[in-house]
Amino acid sequence: MPAAPAKAPAGTLYRGREGMWSWVAHRVTGVLIFFFLLVHVLDTALVRVSPEAYNDVIGTYKNPIMGLGEAGLVAAIVFHAFNGLRIILVDFWAKGPKYQRVMLWVVLGLFVVLMAGFLPRHLMHVFGGE
Amino acid sequence: MTTVADPKAPRLPKPGPGRRTTRGNTELYGWIFMRASGVLLIVLIFGHLFVNLVAGEGVKAIDFAFVGGKWSSPLWQVWDLLMLWLAMIHGTNGVRTIINDYAERDTTRLVLKSLLYLAFAVVVVLGTLVIFTFDPCPSGAPAELLPSICTA
């Protein structure tokens, strides 16, 4: 006889479905942003070396591959930001745990709206030529 | 008849070299800091991304003159300093939590967290020094690479 499917115990919203996957995505995007931040401070520090050194390194970033990477970075930041607000509401708002699932769909909706505003403008800068 | 232990009784500490997860209230303050700094970082980073990637010519326009022009203003110096410190503490605490969750051996955790705190110190000290000792108009640099305030 097949085992009954594992059911999340009552009282936790961090096992299975929206609660768990948003938690996983929050960790993954957080780590990505952190490692970008380390590199970002190091390359910006080149302004202290010389204008040429900074412009040379930034110049190597100005290509379509890095442009798409920047779009992915902004996407990670936007998700982490809105989902972070959702976590704050789950923790501090009395009805937060009850509406955590709905709030994730609101987060994803806001994500789509913001990215729809950002992506065309950014991709125009990246692929638009001179 | 055997009696069941009082369910509300405090748990006895594990004997032997167990993992101490909390010490005082530091984890509570860390938890609060993540939420407070997170809200501030949304404002700081969204503003940063808008000015650097969306306004004007976007990412194409970023060069020494762009950075020099921004850091000639105390507003952007304070903005970037606050962003650097808050983001580094927020990010370092987040990665620390992840190391604690997934690295099971004591030595693995010690090595990973030592590297993490070293990276934190290097990046925060370097970033802070750059913001405060930066010269937007270094002498001897070609004028066409410098922000417009240098020729004024």
Side-chain angles (χ1 to χ4, degrees):
Chain A
M1 190 181 145
K7 203 166 173 292
T12 177
L13 48 85
Y14 288 108
R15 192 193 274 184
R17 294 175 57 99
E18 292 91 337
M20 184 177 90
W21 292 110
S22 61
W23 172 85
V24 170
H26 203 76
R27 291 204 150 183
V28 171
T29 52
V31 170
L32 281 175
I33 296 164
F34 182 73
F35 282 107
F36 163 78
L37 177 60
L38 299 184
V39 178
H40 184 54
V41 175
L42 294 181
D43 60 35
T44 305
L46 287 171
V47 294
R48 195 67 186 76
V49 178
S50 74
E52 291 88 344
Y54 181 76
N55 287 353
D56 281 353
V57 170
I58 292 299
T60 65
Y61 293 170
K62 291 178 181 172
N63 63 64
I65 294 172
M66 293 305 266
L68 292 174
E70 287 149 9
L73 175 76
V74 170
I77 291 172
V78 170
F79 173 80
H80 198 89
F82 288 146
N83 192 56
L85 290 177
R86 172 178 161 272
I87 292 172
I88 293 174
L89 287 171
V90 168
D91 289 342
F92 292 110
W93 177 38
K95 290 184 178 159
K98 186 178 162 193
Y99 292 114
Q100 61 95 3
R101 212 163 274 178
V102 185
M103 287 196 291
L104 180 63
W105 294 107
V106 175
V107 164
L108 295 176
L110 289 172
F111 173 85
V112 168
V113 170
L114 216 77
M115 291 310 287
F118 171 73
L119 278 182
R121 176 116 184 119
H122 180 67
L123 295 178
M124 185 186 86
H125 289 140
V126 173
F127 293 99
E130 286 310 299
Chain B
M1 189 180 144
T2 51
T3 45
V4 177
D6 175 7
K8 296 279 186 189
R11 218 175 275 181
L12 289 170
K14 251 206 277 179
R19 269 172 76 178
R20 234 184 346 176
T21 48
T22 50
R23 209 175 288 123
N25 279 335
T26 36
E27 290 297 341
L28 171 67
Y29 300 138
W31 182 88
I32 292 169
F33 176 83
M34 291 309 265
R35 279 140 187 86
S37 62
V39 172
L40 284 172
L41 281 166
I42 292 180
V43 177
L44 291 169
I45 293 176
F46 277 25
H48 176 73
L49 290 176
F50 183 82
V51 169
N52 289 37
L53 296 185
V54 178
E57 290 283 278
V59 73
K60 264 199 309 197
I62 296 179
D63 57 10
F64 183 87
F66 178 86
V67 179
K70 267 184 95 179
W71 279 347
S72 307
S73 140
L75 168 77
W76 289 113
Q77 282 189 318
V78 173
W79 189 290
D80 286 0
L81 185 76
L82 211 59
M83 199 161 57
L84 171 73
W85 280 76
L86 288 177
M88 281 304 294
I89 302 173
H90 186 104
T92 301
N93 193 43
V95 174
R96 181 188 69 90
T97 306
I98 290 176
I99 293 172
N100 280 341
D101 277 358
Y102 299 120
E104 291 183 8
R105 289 180 52 215
D106 286 352
T107 41
T108 316
R109 279 200 309 282
L110 183 73
V111 169
L112 289 178
K113 282 196 262 184
S114 304
L115 286 173
L116 176 68
Y117 298 149
L118 179 71
F120 172 85
V122 169
V123 168
V124 166
V125 170
L126 179 73
T128 306
L129 283 177
V130 168
I131 292 173
F132 284 118
T133 66
F134 171 68
D135 177 5
C137 311
S139 58
E144 70 271 16
L145 297 184
L146 300 181
S148 54
I149 50 147
C150 298
T151 47

